[in-house]
């Protein structure tokens, strides 16, 4: 069984550890011994306590799951086999400056990792592509990209769940505004989203729209109203704004 050193014990570390613990021997480290112990007890993993924040990484595979600014909190001693990082907006070049390793993989999972349905973007050394897919497919699906597309993929996969949450909230509030109980409105929208996501797996969105948009009908009136408020343009600008910040 391959060993993986997990640095961090937060939400993403938990999602990854849950998906990987049957396939890898996972050693967990971080800055707080009590939190490491608690995390390991909950998930039945092995703690790795650091002395003076120093982590010996020679020939190891290391999975960085701490906050981006926390990288400096650790002293990485030796040369790792591979460093995998999920740190937002930390490039492969920056990783090279912080940790010595033979191979580097950068990954960007999203909030759906907690239910093993993340879409995770990957880039870095192609020699370690297969190992990277093995790790990140444990929390959903993964795609391999050029690093120059990473900020865009972060906006689309990482930020857009918040945009969709806004859409869901707006629909629920609209139902309530025009007379439905919040409970009924919420149930309709929740089921709408889960049914829609299954349909989207097999059908292009344009066809989905056309299927419910009969000539002169009520859906067409609603779509025309959304077009009047430039919904598509709002999304284009939102993705660009998020991309420029990622
Ligand atoms: N959440 C997401 O949807 C998401 C998506 C993609 C990528 N990411 C990336 O995943 C990483 C972890 O995010 P998360 O959501 O799992 O966050 P989280 O639950 O808040 O966990 C943060 C982790 O970072 C550690 N940490 C924070 N400050 C530290 C410091 N100064 N020194 C050492 N360790 C420190 C925390 O340890 P302590 O408890 O001891 O502070 C904890 O282990 C981040 O880099 C984030 O950019 C998150």
């Amino acid at each position: 069984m391959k060993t993986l050193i997990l640095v961090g014990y937060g939400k993403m570390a938990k999602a990854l550890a849950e998906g990987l613990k049957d396939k890898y021997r996972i050693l967990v480290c971080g800055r707080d011994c009590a939190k490491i112990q608690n995390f390991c007890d909950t998930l039945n993993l092995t703690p790795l306590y650091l002395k003076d924040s120093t982590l010996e990484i020679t020939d190891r595979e290391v999975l960085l799951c701490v906050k981006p600014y926390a990288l400096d909190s650790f002293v990485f001693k030796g040369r790792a086999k591979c460093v995998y990082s999920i740190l937002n907006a930390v490039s492969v070049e920056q990783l090279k400056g912080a940790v010595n390793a033979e191979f580097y993989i950068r990954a960007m999972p999203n909030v759906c990792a907690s239910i093993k349905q993340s879409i995770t973007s990957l880039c870095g050394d192609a020699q370690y592509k297969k190992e990277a897919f093995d790790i990140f497919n444990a929390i959903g699906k993964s795609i391999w990209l050029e690093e120059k597309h990473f900020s865009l993929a972060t906006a689309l996969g990482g930020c857009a769940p918040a945009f969709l949450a806004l859409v869901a909230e707006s629909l629920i509030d609209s139902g309530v505004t025009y007379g439905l109980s919040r409970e009924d409105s919420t149930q309709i929208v929740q089921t709408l989203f889960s049914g829609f996501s299954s349909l989207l797996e097999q059908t292009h969105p344009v066809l989905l729209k056309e299927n419910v948009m009969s000539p002169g009908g009520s859906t067409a009136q609603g779509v025309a109203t959304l077009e009047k408020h430039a919904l598509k343009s709002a999304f284009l600008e939102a993705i660009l704004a998020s991309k420029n910040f990622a």
Side-chain angles (χ1 to χ4, degrees), residues 94-172:
Q94 286 170 299
L95 283 174
K96 284 182 182 170
V99 197
N100 188 7
E102 197 174 337
F103 301 107
Y104 295 85
I105 296 287
R106 190 178 159 195
M108 182 45 60
N110 74 9
V111 69
C112 305
S114 62
I115 51 161
K116 313 239 172 317
Q117 290 191 34
S118 171
I119 176 65
T120 303
S121 302
L122 299 170
C123 69
D125 287 306
Q127 295 97 314
Y128 250 63
K129 192 170 169 176
K130 186 193 164 304
E131 287 81 353
F133 272 91
D134 283 347
I135 289 179
F136 291 97
N137 282 350
I139 50 166
K141 288 184 189 167
S142 311
I143 51 165
W144 187 264
L145 296 173
E146 289 180 59
E147 192 171 25
K148 67 177 181 188
H149 292 135
F150 231 62
S151 52
L152 181 54
T154 300
L156 210 49
C159 305
F163 304 171
L164 295 183
L166 200 56
V167 172
E169 183 200 4
S170 307
L171 290 173
I172 292 169

Side-chain angles (χ1 to χ4, degrees), residues 9-12 31 35 65-68 70 73 86 88 108-109:
Y9 34 66
K11 292 183 289 294
M12 277 294 158
R31 63 173 169 174
K35 287 187 183 175
C65 290
V66 287
K67 293 286 187 193
S73 308
I86 64 165
N88 187 26
M108 182 45 60

